[in-house]
Short mmCIF file of all heavy atoms in Angstrom, two decimals:
data_model
loop_
_atom_site.label_atom_id
_atom_site.label_comp_id
_atom_site.label_asym_id
_atom_site.label_seq_id
_atom_site.Cartn_x
_atom_site.Cartn_y
_atom_site.Cartn_z
N LYS A 148 10.64 2.34 8.12
CA LYS A 148 9.76 2.69 9.21
C LYS A 148 8.99 4.02 8.90
O LYS A 148 7.77 4.06 9.10
CB LYS A 148 10.57 2.88 10.52
CG LYS A 148 9.73 3.34 11.67
CD LYS A 148 10.59 3.52 12.95
CE LYS A 148 9.74 4.00 14.11
NZ LYS A 148 10.51 4.05 15.39
N ALA A 149 9.70 5.00 8.42
CA ALA A 149 9.07 6.22 8.06
C ALA A 149 7.98 6.09 7.04
O ALA A 149 6.90 6.65 7.10
CB ALA A 149 10.10 7.27 7.61
N LEU A 150 8.27 5.25 6.03
CA LEU A 150 7.32 5.03 4.97
C LEU A 150 6.09 4.22 5.47
O LEU A 150 4.99 4.54 5.12
CB LEU A 150 8.00 4.23 3.81
CG LEU A 150 7.16 3.97 2.56
CD1 LEU A 150 6.64 5.31 1.94
CD2 LEU A 150 7.97 3.19 1.52
N MET A 151 6.36 3.22 6.30
CA MET A 151 5.24 2.48 6.88
C MET A 151 4.26 3.39 7.69
O MET A 151 3.06 3.32 7.54
CB MET A 151 5.76 1.39 7.78
CG MET A 151 6.34 0.18 7.14
SD MET A 151 6.96 -1.08 8.29
CE MET A 151 5.44 -1.52 9.16
N LEU A 152 4.89 4.22 8.54
CA LEU A 152 4.10 5.09 9.38
C LEU A 152 3.27 6.11 8.57
O LEU A 152 2.10 6.41 8.82
CB LEU A 152 4.95 5.83 10.39
CG LEU A 152 5.52 4.95 11.52
CD1 LEU A 152 6.51 5.79 12.39
CD2 LEU A 152 4.43 4.35 12.38
N LYS A 153 3.91 6.65 7.51
CA LYS A 153 3.21 7.61 6.66
C LYS A 153 2.08 6.93 5.90
O LYS A 153 0.96 7.51 5.79
CB LYS A 153 4.19 8.22 5.66
CG LYS A 153 3.62 9.38 4.79
CD LYS A 153 3.12 10.52 5.69
CE LYS A 153 2.58 11.68 4.84
NZ LYS A 153 3.63 12.40 4.10
N THR A 154 2.30 5.71 5.44
CA THR A 154 1.34 4.99 4.67
C THR A 154 0.11 4.67 5.52
O THR A 154 -1.03 4.69 5.05
CB THR A 154 1.89 3.71 4.07
OG1 THR A 154 3.04 4.04 3.31
CG2 THR A 154 0.87 3.02 3.18
N LEU A 155 0.36 4.33 6.80
CA LEU A 155 -0.73 3.95 7.67
C LEU A 155 -1.37 5.14 8.39
O LEU A 155 -2.27 4.96 9.24
CB LEU A 155 -0.21 2.94 8.79
CG LEU A 155 0.27 1.57 8.17
CD1 LEU A 155 0.96 0.79 9.27
CD2 LEU A 155 -0.95 0.81 7.66
N SER A 156 -0.89 6.33 8.08
CA SER A 156 -1.45 7.53 8.74
C SER A 156 -2.84 7.91 8.12
O SER A 156 -3.16 7.54 6.99
CB SER A 156 -0.48 8.69 8.55
OG SER A 156 -0.44 9.15 7.18
N LYS A 157 -3.62 8.66 8.86
CA LYS A 157 -4.88 9.11 8.41
C LYS A 157 -4.73 10.00 7.15
O LYS A 157 -5.60 10.05 6.32
CB LYS A 157 -5.63 9.90 9.51
CG LYS A 157 -6.08 9.04 10.64
CD LYS A 157 -6.86 9.86 11.69
CE LYS A 157 -7.38 8.96 12.81
NZ LYS A 157 -8.12 9.76 13.83
N ASP A 158 -3.59 10.73 7.09
CA ASP A 158 -3.33 11.61 5.98
C ASP A 158 -3.34 10.90 4.61
O ASP A 158 -3.74 11.39 3.61
CB ASP A 158 -1.97 12.31 6.14
CG ASP A 158 -1.61 13.21 5.00
OD1 ASP A 158 -2.48 14.07 4.66
OD2 ASP A 158 -0.53 13.09 4.40
N VAL A 159 -2.95 9.61 4.69
CA VAL A 159 -2.95 8.78 3.46
C VAL A 159 -4.20 7.91 3.35
O VAL A 159 -4.86 7.88 2.32
CB VAL A 159 -1.67 7.91 3.39
CG1 VAL A 159 -1.73 6.93 2.21
CG2 VAL A 159 -0.42 8.78 3.33
N LEU A 160 -4.54 7.23 4.45
CA LEU A 160 -5.68 6.27 4.43
C LEU A 160 -6.98 6.94 4.14
O LEU A 160 -7.92 6.32 3.57
CB LEU A 160 -5.72 5.48 5.70
CG LEU A 160 -4.57 4.51 5.95
CD1 LEU A 160 -4.75 3.80 7.30
CD2 LEU A 160 -4.47 3.48 4.86
N THR A 161 -7.14 8.21 4.51
CA THR A 161 -8.41 8.94 4.30
C THR A 161 -8.38 9.84 3.07
O THR A 161 -9.30 10.60 2.84
CB THR A 161 -8.78 9.79 5.53
OG1 THR A 161 -7.76 10.74 5.76
CG2 THR A 161 -9.00 8.88 6.79
N ASN A 162 -7.27 9.81 2.31
CA ASN A 162 -7.14 10.62 1.14
C ASN A 162 -7.17 9.70 -0.07
O ASN A 162 -6.21 9.02 -0.39
CB ASN A 162 -5.81 11.39 1.18
CG ASN A 162 -5.65 12.33 0.00
OD1 ASN A 162 -6.01 12.03 -1.15
ND2 ASN A 162 -5.14 13.52 0.30
N PRO A 163 -8.32 9.61 -0.78
CA PRO A 163 -8.44 8.66 -1.90
C PRO A 163 -7.34 8.77 -2.99
O PRO A 163 -6.85 7.78 -3.51
CB PRO A 163 -9.81 9.04 -2.49
CG PRO A 163 -10.55 9.68 -1.36
CD PRO A 163 -9.51 10.46 -0.55
N ILE A 164 -6.94 10.02 -3.31
CA ILE A 164 -5.92 10.24 -4.35
C ILE A 164 -4.54 9.70 -3.89
O ILE A 164 -3.85 8.95 -4.58
CB ILE A 164 -5.81 11.75 -4.70
CG1 ILE A 164 -7.15 12.25 -5.21
CG2 ILE A 164 -4.72 11.90 -5.75
CD1 ILE A 164 -7.69 11.57 -6.38
N LYS A 165 -4.14 10.06 -2.65
CA LYS A 165 -2.81 9.57 -2.15
C LYS A 165 -2.84 8.05 -2.00
O LYS A 165 -1.85 7.40 -2.33
CB LYS A 165 -2.57 10.22 -0.79
CG LYS A 165 -2.05 11.65 -0.86
CD LYS A 165 -1.56 12.11 0.52
CE LYS A 165 -1.02 13.56 0.40
NZ LYS A 165 -0.56 14.07 1.76
N LEU A 166 -3.96 7.53 -1.54
CA LEU A 166 -4.02 6.06 -1.33
C LEU A 166 -3.92 5.36 -2.66
O LEU A 166 -3.27 4.34 -2.81
CB LEU A 166 -5.34 5.68 -0.56
CG LEU A 166 -5.45 4.20 -0.18
CD1 LEU A 166 -4.26 3.78 0.69
CD2 LEU A 166 -6.71 3.97 0.60
N LYS A 167 -4.65 5.88 -3.64
CA LYS A 167 -4.62 5.27 -4.97
C LYS A 167 -3.19 5.38 -5.57
O LYS A 167 -2.67 4.38 -6.12
CB LYS A 167 -5.61 5.96 -5.91
CG LYS A 167 -5.78 5.30 -7.27
CD LYS A 167 -4.81 5.80 -8.31
CE LYS A 167 -5.01 7.25 -8.70
NZ LYS A 167 -4.06 7.73 -9.75
N ASP A 168 -2.56 6.56 -5.47
CA ASP A 168 -1.22 6.74 -6.00
C ASP A 168 -0.20 5.81 -5.34
O ASP A 168 0.67 5.25 -5.97
CB ASP A 168 -0.79 8.18 -5.85
CG ASP A 168 -1.52 9.16 -6.80
OD1 ASP A 168 -2.22 8.64 -7.73
OD2 ASP A 168 -1.49 10.35 -6.58
N PHE A 169 -0.33 5.69 -4.01
CA PHE A 169 0.61 4.86 -3.25
C PHE A 169 0.39 3.40 -3.69
O PHE A 169 1.34 2.64 -3.88
CB PHE A 169 0.40 5.00 -1.73
CG PHE A 169 1.26 3.99 -0.98
CD1 PHE A 169 2.56 4.26 -0.74
CD2 PHE A 169 0.70 2.81 -0.53
CE1 PHE A 169 3.38 3.36 -0.07
CE2 PHE A 169 1.52 1.89 0.17
CZ PHE A 169 2.84 2.16 0.40
N THR A 170 -0.87 2.97 -3.76
CA THR A 170 -1.18 1.58 -4.12
C THR A 170 -0.58 1.28 -5.50
O THR A 170 -0.02 0.21 -5.74
CB THR A 170 -2.68 1.32 -4.12
OG1 THR A 170 -3.24 1.63 -2.84
CG2 THR A 170 -3.04 -0.08 -4.50
N GLU A 171 -0.71 2.22 -6.40
CA GLU A 171 -0.20 2.00 -7.74
C GLU A 171 1.31 1.91 -7.76
O GLU A 171 1.91 1.07 -8.39
CB GLU A 171 -0.65 3.14 -8.67
CG GLU A 171 -0.84 2.83 -10.14
CD GLU A 171 -1.85 3.64 -10.80
OE1 GLU A 171 -2.01 4.81 -10.47
OE2 GLU A 171 -2.58 3.05 -11.65
N ALA A 172 1.95 2.86 -7.01
CA ALA A 172 3.44 2.86 -6.93
C ALA A 172 3.97 1.65 -6.28
O ALA A 172 4.97 1.02 -6.70
CB ALA A 172 3.89 4.14 -6.19
N ALA A 173 3.33 1.22 -5.18
CA ALA A 173 3.79 0.06 -4.44
C ALA A 173 3.71 -1.24 -5.18
O ALA A 173 4.57 -2.12 -5.11
CB ALA A 173 3.03 -0.03 -3.12
N THR A 174 2.59 -1.35 -5.94
CA THR A 174 2.36 -2.62 -6.61
C THR A 174 2.99 -2.80 -8.01
O THR A 174 3.19 -3.87 -8.47
CB THR A 174 0.81 -2.87 -6.72
OG1 THR A 174 0.20 -1.79 -7.47
CG2 THR A 174 0.20 -3.03 -5.37
N THR A 175 3.27 -1.62 -8.62
CA THR A 175 3.88 -1.68 -9.94
C THR A 175 5.25 -2.33 -9.94
O THR A 175 5.62 -3.03 -10.87
CB THR A 175 3.98 -0.23 -10.55
OG1 THR A 175 2.70 0.33 -10.65
CG2 THR A 175 4.64 -0.28 -11.91
N ASN A 176 5.98 -2.15 -8.84
CA ASN A 176 7.32 -2.70 -8.68
C ASN A 176 7.40 -3.84 -7.69
O ASN A 176 8.48 -4.09 -7.16
CB ASN A 176 8.32 -1.58 -8.31
CG ASN A 176 8.44 -0.54 -9.33
OD1 ASN A 176 9.17 -0.63 -10.31
ND2 ASN A 176 7.64 0.59 -9.14
N LEU A 177 6.30 -4.55 -7.55
CA LEU A 177 6.27 -5.54 -6.47
C LEU A 177 6.09 -6.95 -7.05
O LEU A 177 5.15 -7.19 -7.85
CB LEU A 177 5.12 -5.22 -5.51
CG LEU A 177 4.94 -6.20 -4.29
CD1 LEU A 177 6.12 -6.23 -3.41
CD2 LEU A 177 3.66 -5.82 -3.57
N THR A 178 6.89 -7.87 -6.65
CA THR A 178 6.71 -9.29 -6.93
C THR A 178 6.63 -10.06 -5.61
O THR A 178 7.49 -9.85 -4.74
CB THR A 178 7.91 -9.84 -7.78
OG1 THR A 178 8.01 -9.09 -8.97
CG2 THR A 178 7.67 -11.31 -8.12
N VAL A 179 5.65 -10.91 -5.46
CA VAL A 179 5.49 -11.65 -4.21
C VAL A 179 5.47 -13.13 -4.49
O VAL A 179 5.38 -13.60 -5.65
CB VAL A 179 4.17 -11.26 -3.49
CG1 VAL A 179 4.18 -9.77 -3.14
CG2 VAL A 179 2.95 -11.62 -4.37
N ASP A 180 5.54 -13.89 -3.40
CA ASP A 180 5.65 -15.36 -3.55
C ASP A 180 4.35 -15.96 -4.02
O ASP A 180 3.32 -15.28 -4.05
CB ASP A 180 6.10 -16.04 -2.23
CG ASP A 180 5.10 -15.85 -1.11
OD1 ASP A 180 4.13 -16.60 -1.08
OD2 ASP A 180 5.23 -14.90 -0.31
N GLN A 181 4.38 -17.24 -4.33
CA GLN A 181 3.25 -17.91 -4.94
C GLN A 181 2.09 -18.16 -3.95
O GLN A 181 0.96 -18.47 -4.39
CB GLN A 181 3.68 -19.32 -5.45
CG GLN A 181 4.20 -20.25 -4.40
CD GLN A 181 5.76 -20.18 -4.18
OE1 GLN A 181 6.31 -19.11 -4.30
NE2 GLN A 181 6.35 -21.28 -3.80
N LYS A 182 2.34 -17.87 -2.67
CA LYS A 182 1.26 -18.09 -1.61
C LYS A 182 0.64 -16.78 -1.14
O LYS A 182 -0.36 -16.82 -0.36
CB LYS A 182 1.84 -18.92 -0.48
CG LYS A 182 2.32 -20.29 -0.81
CD LYS A 182 2.85 -20.94 0.43
CE LYS A 182 3.35 -22.38 0.10
NZ LYS A 182 3.91 -23.02 1.32
N LEU A 183 1.25 -15.64 -1.47
CA LEU A 183 0.78 -14.36 -0.93
C LEU A 183 -0.20 -13.73 -1.91
O LEU A 183 0.18 -13.16 -2.88
CB LEU A 183 1.97 -13.43 -0.68
CG LEU A 183 1.68 -12.07 -0.02
CD1 LEU A 183 0.98 -12.31 1.31
CD2 LEU A 183 2.92 -11.31 0.20
N ASP A 184 -1.50 -13.87 -1.58
CA ASP A 184 -2.51 -13.33 -2.49
C ASP A 184 -3.00 -11.97 -1.98
O ASP A 184 -2.62 -11.47 -0.90
CB ASP A 184 -3.71 -14.29 -2.59
CG ASP A 184 -4.32 -14.66 -1.27
OD1 ASP A 184 -4.34 -13.79 -0.30
OD2 ASP A 184 -4.86 -15.76 -1.12
N VAL A 185 -3.81 -11.33 -2.82
CA VAL A 185 -4.24 -9.94 -2.51
C VAL A 185 -5.08 -9.88 -1.22
O VAL A 185 -4.94 -8.98 -0.46
CB VAL A 185 -5.06 -9.40 -3.71
CG1 VAL A 185 -5.69 -8.09 -3.32
CG2 VAL A 185 -4.20 -9.27 -4.93
N GLY A 186 -5.89 -10.92 -1.02
CA GLY A 186 -6.70 -10.90 0.20
C GLY A 186 -5.85 -10.98 1.45
O GLY A 186 -6.13 -10.26 2.43
N THR A 187 -4.78 -11.75 1.46
CA THR A 187 -3.91 -11.83 2.60
C THR A 187 -3.23 -10.49 2.81
O THR A 187 -3.12 -10.03 4.00
CB THR A 187 -2.85 -12.94 2.38
OG1 THR A 187 -3.49 -14.17 2.20
CG2 THR A 187 -1.90 -13.03 3.58
N MET A 188 -2.76 -9.85 1.78
CA MET A 188 -2.12 -8.55 1.88
C MET A 188 -3.07 -7.53 2.48
O MET A 188 -2.66 -6.73 3.37
CB MET A 188 -1.56 -8.07 0.57
CG MET A 188 -0.35 -8.84 0.04
SD MET A 188 0.39 -8.15 -1.40
CE MET A 188 -0.74 -8.77 -2.69
N ARG A 189 -4.29 -7.52 2.01
CA ARG A 189 -5.27 -6.54 2.45
C ARG A 189 -5.60 -6.82 3.99
O ARG A 189 -5.64 -5.83 4.73
CB ARG A 189 -6.56 -6.65 1.65
CG ARG A 189 -7.60 -5.68 2.05
CD ARG A 189 -8.78 -5.64 1.05
NE ARG A 189 -9.38 -6.95 0.85
CZ ARG A 189 -9.35 -7.61 -0.34
NH1 ARG A 189 -8.80 -7.10 -1.37
NH2 ARG A 189 -9.87 -8.78 -0.46
#
């Protein structure tokens, strides 16, 4: 919950560096099912 709220906060969403770093960290260790594409996640 804490991570979700921080990620969706203006502090992260409006900070290009933090948003890029989070996106990289989140996706480097992420495996999703065969039906979950990038467009759906976005």
Side-chain angles (χ1 to χ4, degrees):
K148 176 179 180 177
L150 183 59
M151 284 180 64
L152 290 175
K153 185 63 178 289
T154 304
L155 295 170
S156 69
K157 290 182 179 179
D158 179 52
V159 174
L160 292 180
T161 60
N162 186 318
I164 301 300
K165 282 187 178 180
L166 186 56
K167 187 274 293 182
D168 289 346
F169 175 81
T170 301
E171 209 152 34
T174 56
T175 298
N176 296 279
L177 180 64
T178 302
V179 299
D180 65 83
Q181 63 271 29
K182 297 180 180 179
L183 186 54
D184 57 33
V185 173
T187 301
M188 288 188 281
R189 182 171 55 243

